[in-house]
Structures are given as C-alpha cells and as structure tokens.
C-alpha cells in the first residue's frame, strides 16, 4: 500500500522548512452507488471502515437522500451522468473503482458503457445484468402508482421484509428501522424516477465479456429480491470476476454482514496498490 507521508509529499518552504502530511485522497477512489429507494446512508459502515485504503465517494442519487429531486422520468443514463458530473466536480478524472448495490449496479453498468476509460474496477453487490421482463416492467408501473396514490412509506413497508434475510429482519429491529428511515426519506419523484429508470434500462449481459477490469461480486446467500444465480451467471460471463457469497445476508449484504463484506472489499482494493 502507498504511504503518502514522505519526501515526495512534502513541500519545501522558506528556509528549507518541510511539512509532511497525510492525504487520504491519495487512495484509490471508489464511487459507491446506492440501491432503490435508499440513499448514501447505505454505505455508512464502508465509509467508516475503508477510508484508510480508499477515497470513498458516495452520492445520493437524484431524488434520493439529500439530493434534489427533479421531475420524472429518470434514466440510468441520467444517474450515470450525475455520477460523472460529481467526479468532475471533485477533479477526479482518472479511473475509479465503481461500486453499486442492486440499482446502483445498474447505474455502474451504464457508467461503464459511457465512460470505460474512467473505470479501474467494479464492485457489484446484490445486482443483476439483465433487463426487466415484461412482467417486472408492469410491476414497476404499479409501484409508481402506489407511490403517487399512497406515498413512499407504502413502498417502504412493502419492500422492507424482502430486503433483509428473514432472520435478520426478525432479530435486528434497529437495522430494520435504519433501512426504513432511509427509504422514507426518498422523495416521491425519486421513487417514481428510479422505477422508470429501472423499467427502461437496457440489458448489460451482452457487455460482460468485454468488461476486462477486476470485478468483485458480492451477493447475499439469502437474497429474496435478486437470486444468487444472477450473480453466478455474471461471474461466469465476466473475464476477471471473483464472486463472494455472503452467508446470513439478504439483499443488503454490506449492512447485514459488514465485516465479511468489508474484508472482501479491502482484499479486492489491495489489487490496485500492487505494482
Ligand atoms: C434495488 O434494491 O435497488 C431494487 O430493488 C432493484 C430492482 O428492483 O431491480
């Protein structure tokens, strides 16, 4: 790993005075994109535990968390451009590791299509590469109707039991409340916009064989929303992927088993410091 304290990072001042400093910005930048209908609070534990090895950047997508909503429809292209705009704003023009959970993975795939030169590697958590079936597209429209008629709390209550592994849902009320809080903060425009973006996204499966960067795939063994078989199929189609199946986790493995998740991410990020 790089040690940023040293002569190469010291500035020569008046009278030969030199000041040494640490700047975690020297770490590999990791863009972490949350799922639907969540926010960057999803990544709190990763932001706390992994900043020694990476420069973590975790936006709230449009209409989610504290980012302004705009009128739907949204698209994966719009989300990907928002992420690229954030990196531009931060002056990060070189390649980054792009990480996405579930819908965040769909955004990551779109980012790869638009900016392949800006992608050093991928972390794909609880996601899939296929497009929506006709049945799922219909369900997206229905869910948008529910969000408009009954409010986004109704969406949150409907999704919550499916987000976590059943045992975690039963035994971890604080975790359930944390996830509920994140979901309830998503604006109606954000929910409807994300539903349209997911409904209309193209399949990324045909892109996988040409995605020749290191990829870490993490998937909860008990994911009720996206079956483990989806992760296995992506791992088989990608040239440089490693699949980590997270035991005791559902659709939010980074929250349900943070130690296992973070250890796998740390080991993966070490690749980027090898000569
Ligand atoms: C998510 O967790 O981001 C969504 O549930 C993904 C999806 O509905 O396809």
């Amino acid at each position: 790993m790089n040690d940023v304290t040293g002569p190469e990072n010291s500035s020569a001042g008046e009278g030969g005075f030199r000041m040494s400093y640490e700047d975690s910005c020297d770490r590999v930048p990791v863009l972490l994109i949350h799922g639907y209908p969540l926010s960057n609070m999803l990544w709190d534990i990763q932001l706390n535990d992994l900043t020694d090895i990476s420069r973590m950047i975790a936006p709230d997508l449009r209409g989610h968390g504290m980012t302004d909503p705009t009128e739907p429809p949204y698209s994966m292209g719009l989300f990907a451009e928002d992420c690229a705009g954030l990196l531009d704003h931060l002056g990060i023009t070189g390649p980054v590791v792009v990480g996405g959970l579930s819908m965040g993975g769909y955004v990551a795939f779109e980012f790869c299509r638009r900016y392949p030169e800006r992608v050093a590697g991928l972390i794909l958590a609880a996601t899939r590469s296929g497009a929506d079936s006709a049945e799922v597209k219909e369900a997206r429209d229905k869910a948008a109707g529910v969000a408009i008629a009954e409010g986004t709390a109704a969406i949150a209550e409907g999704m919550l039991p499916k987000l976590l592994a059943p045992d975690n849902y039963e035994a971890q009320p604080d975790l359930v409340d944390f996830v509920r809080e994140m979901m309830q903060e998503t604006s109606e425009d954000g929910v409807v916009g994300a539903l349209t973006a997911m409904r209309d996204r193209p399949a990324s499966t045909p892109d996988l064989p040409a995605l020749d960067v290191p990829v870490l795939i993490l998937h909860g063994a008990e994911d009720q929303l996206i079956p483990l078989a989806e992760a296995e199929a992506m791992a088989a189609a990608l040239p440089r992927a490693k699949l980590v199946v997270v035991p005791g986790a559902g659709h939010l493995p980074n929250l349900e088993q943070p130690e296992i998740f973070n250890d796998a991410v740390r080991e993966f990020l070490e690749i980027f410091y090898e000569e």
Side-chain angles (χ1 to χ4, degrees):
M1 206 199 310
N2 267 343
D3 180 4
V4 298
T5 307
E8 71 275 20
N9 292 310
S10 302
S11 59
E14 271 176 34
F17 171 73
R18 293 169 77 86
M19 181 176 278
S20 174
Y21 61 91
E22 293 273 352
D23 177 1
S24 80
C25 293
D26 194 42
R27 305 294 188 233
V28 59
V30 179
L31 176 70
L32 288 176
I33 310 170
H34 62 77
Y36 158 87
L38 304 171
S39 74
N40 65 8
M41 281 165 64
L42 176 71
W43 302 115
D44 279 359
I45 303 173
Q46 283 66 48
L47 261 71
N48 271 331
D49 293 357
L50 294 167
T51 40
D52 61 312
I53 191 165
S54 57
R55 179 180 182 182
M56 293 277 175
I57 300 142
D60 283 334
L61 292 174
R62 192 179 284 250
H64 296 69
M66 296 176 73
T67 294
D68 293 342
T70 56
E71 212 177 300
Y74 300 170
S75 65
M76 288 306 150
L78 186 65
F79 284 146
E81 290 302 330
D82 286 344
C83 290
L86 173 62
L87 294 177
D88 291 343
H89 172 77
L90 295 171
I92 301 173
T93 52
V96 304
V97 173
V98 182
L101 183 137
S102 199
M103 180 180 76
Y106 312 157
V107 180
F109 284 129
E110 186 61 40
F111 190 93
C112 289
R113 271 190 289 278
R114 289 171 183 245
Y115 299 104
E117 72 289 353
R118 296 182 86 164
V119 180
L122 281 170
I123 299 171
L124 299 172
T127 194
R128 55 156 48 103
S129 58
D132 279 358
S133 64
E135 196 187 347
V136 172
K137 283 181 198 286
E138 210 175 293
R140 303 283 191 206
D141 291 338
K142 264 196 200 146
V146 169
I148 292 164
E150 297 173 36
T152 54
I155 298 285
E157 288 315 311
M159 278 185 81
L160 259 174
K162 291 179 254 162
L163 280 174
L164 304 177
D167 285 354
N168 297 337
Y169 185 71
E170 285 301 314
Q172 297 193 50
D174 290 351
L175 179 58
V176 174
D177 286 347
F178 177 76
V179 178
R180 178 185 288 114
E181 191 191 323
M182 248 192 296
M183 295 169 100
Q184 287 181 343
E185 279 177 4
T186 308
S187 65
E188 182 185 306
D189 281 345
V191 166
V192 174
L195 285 165
T196 56
M198 290 192 286
R199 180 194 63 195
D200 298 337
R201 77 187 190 280
S204 299
T205 311
D207 303 341
L208 299 182
L211 266 176
D212 196 14
V213 291
V215 181
L216 173 65
I217 301 175
L218 294 135
H219 211 94
E222 299 175 54
D223 193 324
Q224 301 174 72
L225 287 181
I226 299 188
L228 177 59
E230 298 276 359
E232 289 167 345
M234 287 194 299
L238 284 158
R240 295 164 71 188
K242 176 181 175 188
L243 169 63
V244 174
V245 179
V246 183
H251 193 56
L252 304 177
N254 65 314
L255 288 180
E256 294 173 82
Q257 297 294 345
E259 254 181 60
I260 298 173
F261 189 98
N262 288 0
D263 284 353
V265 171
R266 178 177 292 283
E267 194 185 314
F268 176 70
L269 292 176
E270 272 161 8
I271 299 172
F272 299 93
Y273 294 96
E274 283 163 9
E275 312 242 62

